[in-house]
Amino acid sequence: MFSGCAPYVCVIAKHSLAKTVYGIEINPNAHQFGLDNTKKNKLEERTKLFCGDVRSVLPRIHKKFHRIVMPLPKTADEFLPLALKYLKPGGIIHYYSFLGEEQIDTVGKERVREICTLSKKKCRILHVRRAGQHAPYVWRVCYDVKIQ
């Protein structure tokens, strides 16, 4: 989800055993850069990139996934239920959020659990990582969430 110019798509396709890595990006310019990046890295055979809103593109793919990466920290909350719908049982979501230092272990985890509960999914948070600073005392945080 939110693949941009496909940095995650390229890295995952190049360094994993995944048969196919999918990317969905709404910005046509970023999507074109993603196509260029997969071509330059000779990954066209192992990647499939789609241009459009993830809410309309994901249902048209007709697949469920082992992993979903959601690197859109500002509004990821509104897309987590959609990701949960298209994740295979036992799959993992890499969910990003912007949080203050004191919120990482409380508010962030509670938000993930609440959305999973509302979607009738059981979850276990495997890891919590700071993935960069967004502003003073505000972090981009990645929650690795396994769905039962």
Side-chain angles (χ1 to χ4, degrees), residues 71-82:
L72 188 68
K74 195 170 184 181
T75 58
D77 292 1
E78 66 183 81
F79 293 96
L80 186 53
L82 180 67

Side-chain angles (χ1 to χ4, degrees), residues 40 46 75 78 102 134:
K40 286 178 183 177
R46 296 193 52 220
T75 58
E78 66 183 81
E102 68 287 344
H134 175 65

